[in-house]
Amino acid sequence: MLQPQRVFVLASLVACSARASAQFDSAWVTFAPDNTRLVNPGGSPATHVFTDDVEKDMASGDLDRDGWIDLVIVRKERNTTTGAFPNFLLMNENGVLVDQSAQYASAADVPGDLGFLTPTNDRDVVIADLNNDGWLDVVTATTRAAGQPKHISHPRVYMNLGFAGGAWLGLRFENNRIPTFSISPNFCGVAAGDVTGDGFADLYFTNYDGEGPDGSPELYDRLLINDGTGHFTDSGFTRLTQTMLDARFGVSVQIVDMNLDGKLDIVRASGVTGTGPGSVVTVAYNNPSNVGYFPTFMYQAQVGSDGPYHADVGDLNNDNRPDLIFSDRNPDGFRFNTGVDALGRVIWSTLRHYTYVTGADDGIAGTNLIADLDGDGWKDTLHCDYDPDVPGCIRRMHIFHNLGGAPGGSVVLREEAGSAGNPWRGAVGLFANDLIGTFDTAAFDIDNDGDVDLVIGRCTGTFVWLNQQVQGAAVTTFCAGDGSSAACPCGSGALGNGCPSSISPAGARLAGLGTARIAADSLVLRNTLVENGPGLFFQGTGETDVPFGDGKLCAGVGITRLGVVFATGGTAYYPGGFTPSPIHVAGGVQAGDVRVYQVWYRDSAVNFCTSATFNLTNGVRVTWLP
């Protein structure tokens, strides 16, 4: 709420009050609760998940490559304690999150260990392909397990076993992927990224200590180097200095190219440092002349806020430069990346703070993340409230709406709110009591309708909130290769996907993300589960459902070529890269038109099924709004 100064005249006070009142009820995005989407394998409610009251952290990714994003939840006793709990593997089965921990995450190479079912003290988790086999693996950051065997006290790597015999084989804990440290680590954050430039993801763990007799750190952070097979060695102080690795209470880390030189840098938030005053967010820049090493002359020892606890990275003002957000003991805030200096370091803007329609920052905060919740192309932010060292579920999560503006400008991020008759906070449908005591939040598309849904992990349980964006009604899939319509040449794939290919027995999937509006076209076509190679995105005015190559032609009437996009990481987007035109422009679409879309992609395996070396996705049907 705007606060008038005493020197304002009465007219100014009235005008100010009117502007503040008009800010209420900006229904920018709407969420609805739906915990029926958390179930056990037999379909019964997964009450142990949605009543779970312990500390939790989450990561999402398509582990079984069926086109539906899955969720991993790691758990521990609240606060900085030794209490351990099993983790959850929630597999997304056609928009329902099924606890398949026992079925797909209980294998291990340590006798007696039961993978996710083994109680561990995990504080963070990351999902990444560690051995470049095309399947995502899982890494957890363990803490407070001194005296326990290595497979309990050290980070745990769960390798994805891939697909065989017509079924996904799940995850297996493999103990020797991580080296043995001289002392038991207290890791609080983990990130994955190729810092050495060899094409394989390395791991960075940020540590918290201060337990020695003299209060000095015992272990420091650790950068682990991938040998190309998904096994890791400790780089010690050879790539980053002891000062760079000093984190008295390291809480989060990201591996991102901050200065846009093509090399990945390391951004770390530390609640307290051993050698400097207060809390810091640091950036260690990769040396472009000696990739994989981080020189002191490029190191930024403090780019954070007043008392940062957690940081995340993302482009807030659409200038293609990664910005920073901070959860803080004081008001939360953010900084814009405005360019680089002569040494190749980011030049940061002054600290900005969030704005509020009503209320204010409520103090100590926890994890945070950046996600475009309303599909308008401007990334919003979410700040959880639970600090593991400040017991009590008394604060709440804040969701901030990015109001957009000129690319590269100073955008406003505001917590919207409903008025007294409907007092939602942050987003329509979410009330203050729905946000209290939040450990972590996952933002991903649960139901494959093209918008970003939320899973909120709180002191009182885990809760699913579905995004109610309009494009769910305007964008639908059809002509799937799952047996629901005409048969595929090579058998059936997964629900809603295209026909099976040599790359994916589940078939490739085409989805429409964003809003299909002529006046504000943010629609993006996302093609997943394909070979890394060319794919033709095309539009049709009418629908077909006939065999073509190893797949089916779904958009076979009035075809318009949109453009060829080369997939990387099994994924391609249109618009994107060298095909930047908005879809309605490239396709010559008017309001009210119904158009269908598909991707014709390369599948180079000879005689996978037919003699063809190409396949197609499912179709996407779009009703274009004004």
Side-chain angles (χ1 to χ4, degrees):
M1 191 71 87
L2 296 174
Q3 299 297 322
Q5 303 297 316
R6 292 181 181 180
V7 296
F8 281 9
V9 297
L10 180 59
S12 298
L13 293 173
V14 172
C16 181
S17 177
R19 287 195 299 270
S21 298
Q23 293 175 347
F24 281 101
D25 301 311
S26 173
W28 67 289
V29 68
T30 300
F31 289 91
D34 190 354
N35 264 24
T36 64
R37 294 178 182 267
L38 292 172
V39 303
N40 294 312
S44 61
T47 54
H48 64 293
V49 177
F50 55 73
T51 61
D52 172 42
D53 63 355
V54 302
E55 185 180 326
K56 53 191 73 75
D57 196 272
M58 297 180 273
S60 59
D62 186 3
L63 295 171
D64 59 354
R65 287 175 44 175
D66 66 349
W68 298 82
I69 299 176
D70 312 302
L71 182 67
V72 171
I73 302 179
V74 297
R75 307 160 65 232
K76 66 178 295 296
E77 187 176 63
R78 295 185 194 178
N79 309 322
T80 304
T81 60
T82 58
F85 284 85
N87 297 328
F88 297 143
L89 173 64
L90 302 183
M91 297 303 296
N92 191 334
E93 299 180 8
N94 306 323
V96 177
L97 300 176
V98 184
D99 183 8
Q100 295 283 17
S101 307
Q103 176 70 22
Y104 292 118
S106 59
D109 64 1
V110 176
D113 192 282
L114 295 175
F116 272 35
L117 304 184
T118 298
T120 50
N121 198 0
D122 293 318
R123 196 153 233 177
D124 197 13
V125 56
V126 68
I127 295 176
D129 183 359
L130 301 181
N131 57 356
N132 286 10
D133 65 351
W135 296 88
L136 294 173
D137 311 300
V138 176
V139 183
T140 66
T142 51
T143 188
R144 295 294 184 196
Q148 296 291 327
K150 187 242 182 179
H151 71 279
I152 300 294
S153 64
H154 281 52
R156 290 168 64 95
V157 173
Y158 299 85
M159 297 302 295
N160 196 320
L161 302 179
F163 202 88
W168 183 54
L169 302 181
L171 305 172
R172 179 175 63 205
F173 165 58
E174 299 185 1
N175 189 37
N176 292 327
R177 298 275 174 177
I178 296 291
T180 301
F181 301 119
S182 59
I183 60 173
S184 178
N186 292 321
F187 291 142
C188 198
V190 57
D194 175 20
V195 301
T196 62
D198 65 354
F200 292 88
D202 308 299
L203 297 173
Y204 189 102
F205 293 89
T206 189
N207 193 64
Y208 60 91
D209 276 310
E211 298 176 348
D214 60 352
S216 61
E218 295 180 351
L219 187 64
Y220 299 93
D221 289 2
R222 281 294 185 263
L223 173 62
L224 305 186
I225 303 302
N226 193 330
D227 69 354
T229 68
H231 293 81
F232 296 86
T233 56
D234 181 9
S235 66
F237 299 138
T238 64
R239 294 175 181 268
L240 298 105
T241 67
Q242 180 173 319
T243 298
M244 295 177 187
L245 294 167
D246 174 16
R248 187 63 60 84
F249 205 112
V251 289
S252 69
V253 59
Q254 288 80 31
I255 298 177
V256 180
D257 181 7
M258 298 302 295
N259 56 3
L260 304 184
D261 66 351
K263 317 304 177 187
L264 296 183
D265 311 306
I266 298 170
V267 180
R268 181 198 65 187
S270 179
V272 179
T273 58
T275 58
S279 304
V280 296
V281 175
T282 64
V283 184
Y285 292 96
N286 209 325
N287 189 344
S289 301
N290 191 16
V291 179
Y293 293 84
F294 300 81
T296 56
F297 70 85
M298 295 182 71
Y299 181 64
Q300 290 180 319
Q302 172 59 300
V303 300
S305 48
D306 298 325
Y309 175 80
H310 194 282
D312 196 18
V313 179
D315 182 8
L316 298 176
N317 58 355
N318 283 4
D319 61 357
N320 296 317
R321 294 183 177 277
D323 306 306
L324 283 172
I325 66 171
F326 316 102
S327 294
D328 202 292
R329 290 187 291 271
N330 302 298
D332 298 345
F334 51 96
R335 290 185 190 271
F336 299 116
N337 179 338
T338 67
V340 295
D341 64 17
L343 295 178
R345 304 171 303 183
V346 170
I347 301 170
W348 296 101
S349 74
T350 57
L351 178 64
R352 267 71 167 179
H353 292 296
Y354 294 102
T355 61
Y356 300 79
V357 169
T358 185
D361 188 287
D362 51 2
I364 295 170
T367 61
N368 53 40
L369 73 154
I370 298 173
D372 183 3
L373 298 181
D374 59 346
D376 67 350
W378 295 86
K379 290 184 173 64
D380 313 295
T381 70
L382 302 92
H383 288 251
C384 301
D385 61 274
Y386 196 96
D387 183 325
D389 286 310
V390 182
C393 302
I394 56 176
R395 296 171 299 277
R396 67 173 176 86
M397 181 171 74
H398 294 273
I399 300 174
F400 297 99
H401 175 205
N402 190 330
L403 302 188
S410 181
V411 299
V412 172
L413 287 151
R414 181 172 69 200
E415 185 182 61
E416 309 287 6
S419 53
N422 184 21
W424 53 267
R425 293 294 179 262
V428 179
L430 287 160
F431 294 86
N433 286 339
D434 299 317
L435 303 170
I436 291 175
T438 300
F439 294 109
D440 196 24
T441 299
F444 64 101
D445 188 0
I446 295 173
D447 51 3
N448 264 348
D449 65 350
D451 52 29
V452 176
D453 308 302
L454 298 177
V455 179
I456 302 177
R458 297 173 50 210
C459 296
T460 54
T462 303
F463 303 91
V464 172
W465 291 84
L466 293 186
N467 198 320
Q468 305 297 298
Q469 286 289 84
V470 67
Q471 67 262 30
V475 180
T476 56
T477 59
F478 73 101
C479 185
D482 55 15
S484 60
S485 58
C488 290
C490 313
S492 298
L495 183 66
N497 291 7
C499 295
S501 72
S502 65
I503 300 299
S504 170
R509 183 174 185 86
L510 184 65
L513 314 177
T515 303
R517 288 187 178 275
I518 301 298
D521 180 4
S522 64
L523 182 66
V524 174
L525 297 173
R526 181 183 67 190
N527 183 22
T528 55
L529 304 175
V530 294
E531 180 177 320
N532 288 339
L536 172 64
F537 287 74
F538 61 97
Q539 172 188 282
T541 59
E543 301 177 14
T544 56
D545 193 353
V546 296
F548 184 46
D550 287 344
K552 297 192 298 179
L553 185 63
C554 305
V557 179
I559 293 176
T560 298
R561 173 190 172 106
L562 298 179
V564 173
V565 180
F566 280 71
T568 58
T571 302
Y573 295 88
Y574 184 93
F578 296 105
T579 57
S581 295
I583 292 174
H584 81 280
V585 174
V589 179
Q590 303 297 319
D593 287 347
V594 178
R595 294 291 183 264
V596 289
Y597 299 91
Q598 198 173 13
V599 178
W600 180 4
Y601 65 92
R602 176 185 178 185
D603 185 2
S604 61
V606 177
N607 297 326
F608 159 67
C609 174
T610 71
S611 60
T613 55
F614 65 86
N615 206 321
L616 298 100
T617 65
N618 57 286
V620 168
R621 182 189 303 111
V622 176
T623 301
W624 283 91
L625 304 171

